[in-house]
Amino acid sequence: MRKVALSVLALSFPAFAQQATAPASLVRAGVTEKLTEHVWVIPDGSAPLVPNVGIVVGSKAVLVIDTGMGTRNAQTVLGEVAKVAPGKPIYLVTTHVHPEHDMGAHAFPADSRLIRSTDQVDDIAAGTGLNLVPVFAQRSDLNKQLLADARHRTADIVFEEKHTLDLGGLDATVHAMGTNHTLGDTVVFVDGVLFSGDIAMKPQPSFANPTGRISHWLMSLEKLEAMQPRIVVPSHGPVGDASLMQGYRAYLTRIRDRTDDLKKEGMSQDEAVQIVTREMAGEFPDRGRLAGAVRAAYAEGGPIRDPAPKPL
């Protein structure tokens, strides 16, 4: 069972049709796909620094999930919203505060309503998103232009654990998930569709917050599966189904168990990182993300054992 789930993560998930890799950093116009009667997605085309943007339409209002990076991308998103929900009031939520997800919010209309969890507000206060602006900006001239006006927008609605939004004949529920990829991860469940953020995707999990723990991430995956989504729209990569959660669980469990064994054998954290990375990099090539997962596992694993004495 574990081998099946891991192969799913390493290769591909069952997915809806999605175009080949698109240009980096730009949300695309004219590619919006309808997933259900009420839910659309602007697919990222597996492009770097582009999110899958959700558009959820009720009879009274529309909910947008993630913004793209900067004003230009936000304007593209708003153009697509106008095609499927012209004239409707807009609510907005971001799955987390990294620039490509959150830093177009300020370009939305002044009468739109931005929803944030208290964790996400705290993450902004800690500088998580703004600290990445110079890192992303130096990658290309386009990124520098997109992030020239980068800033976080203040929330209009702040919630603790769960906020249910009445869009008119359709309820969308926003859940605060605690620290997984970031301190302020949120997900949205509506009309059988789960917008899972970075908590469940095809790409390897990234522990972007140093306080992230595998045990909590595994609990988050259980919560997402309990919602029984028919369709899962991750932050990045192809749209899929519940196998996205299954793949992440197998990956994180394997790293947790192997790291815990190494820690009990007396290995240091750095030694555990080296060993697990060497063993798993052939299947999962992002060594940085592997190292982050091992460090998270080591931080909460079993007690360190004294190494066995060397023979005389």
Side-chain angles (χ1 to χ4, degrees):
M1 190 70 167
R2 175 182 291 178
K3 290 182 179 179
V4 173
L6 285 170
S7 66
V8 165
L9 175 60
L11 299 174
S12 63
F13 290 102
F16 294 83
Q18 194 159 22
Q19 298 184 13
T21 302
S25 306
L26 292 178
V27 176
R28 297 172 295 161
V31 298
T32 300
E33 300 174 3
K34 188 173 185 178
L35 301 182
T36 73
E37 180 182 356
H38 300 283
V39 179
W40 282 257
V41 65
I42 308 174
D44 69 345
S46 296
L49 298 183
V50 180
N52 289 311
V53 177
I55 305 172
V56 182
V57 182
S59 63
K60 298 190 303 186
V62 57
L63 172 65
V64 177
I65 302 158
D66 283 348
T67 68
M69 192 160 61
T71 297
R72 177 177 171 182
N73 280 311
Q75 290 172 341
T76 299
V77 171
L78 289 168
E80 296 301 294
V81 171
K83 295 176 185 178
V84 299
K88 291 184 185 291
I90 297 173
Y91 290 90
L92 173 64
V93 65
T94 64
T95 57
H96 54 292
V97 302
H98 287 170
E100 76 271 32
H101 301 273
D102 196 88
M103 289 189 178
H106 65 275
F108 273 61
D111 61 356
S112 60
R113 305 273 287 166
L114 175 60
I115 304 167
R116 294 195 188 280
S117 69
T118 53
D119 288 339
Q120 200 172 87
V121 172
D122 290 343
D123 214 10
I124 291 172
T128 297
L130 287 173
N131 289 341
L132 284 175
V133 169
V135 177
F136 287 6
Q138 70 181 1
R139 294 183 183 178
S140 71
D141 289 339
L142 173 60
N143 287 0
K144 185 176 181 180
Q145 295 168 15
L146 293 172
L147 291 167
D149 63 348
R151 61 186 184 275
H152 293 293
R153 175 176 162 175
T154 301
D156 300 289
I157 299 169
V158 178
F159 70 97
E160 289 287 339
E161 296 182 0
K162 182 171 71 172
H163 180 76
T164 300
L165 186 63
D166 178 8
L167 298 172
L170 179 71
D171 285 346
T173 306
V174 187
H175 298 264
M177 300 301 296
T179 305
N180 300 280
H181 173 56
T182 68
L183 172 64
D185 290 334
T186 63
V187 304
V188 179
F189 185 64
V190 56
D191 200 25
V193 180
L194 172 66
F195 289 87
S196 62
D198 275 39
I199 298 177
M201 308 188 298
K202 178 182 175 182
Q204 289 169 239
S206 170
F207 285 84
N209 187 290
T211 65
R213 295 291 177 261
I214 283 181
S215 60
H216 183 84
W217 204 317
L218 290 171
M219 287 190 293
S220 294
L221 293 172
E222 289 180 6
K223 291 178 182 178
L224 299 188
E225 286 183 307
M227 298 177 194
Q228 298 183 326
R230 299 191 307 274
I231 301 170
V232 178
V233 181
S235 276
H236 303 284
V239 174
D241 57 22
S243 63
L244 291 170
M245 282 82 87
Q246 296 162 9
Y248 263 30
R249 181 190 298 107
Y251 173 90
L252 293 171
T253 300
R254 176 172 164 185
I255 290 175
R256 179 200 63 191
D257 292 349
R258 181 65 176 129
T259 301
D260 195 42
D261 287 344
L262 293 170
K263 184 176 182 179
K264 289 175 180 176
E265 291 172 13
M267 300 292 177
S268 70
Q269 185 181 80
D270 287 343
E271 288 172 329
V273 168
Q274 291 174 2
I275 292 168
V276 178
T277 300
R278 183 173 64 247
E279 292 174 351
M280 294 182 64
E283 295 173 78
F284 307 104
D286 192 323
R287 290 172 174 263
R289 294 192 174 198
L290 272 172
V294 174
R295 293 185 191 283
Y298 195 94
E300 64 175 340
I304 300 174
R305 260 187 219 158
D306 292 331
K310 296 180 181 179
L312 298 176

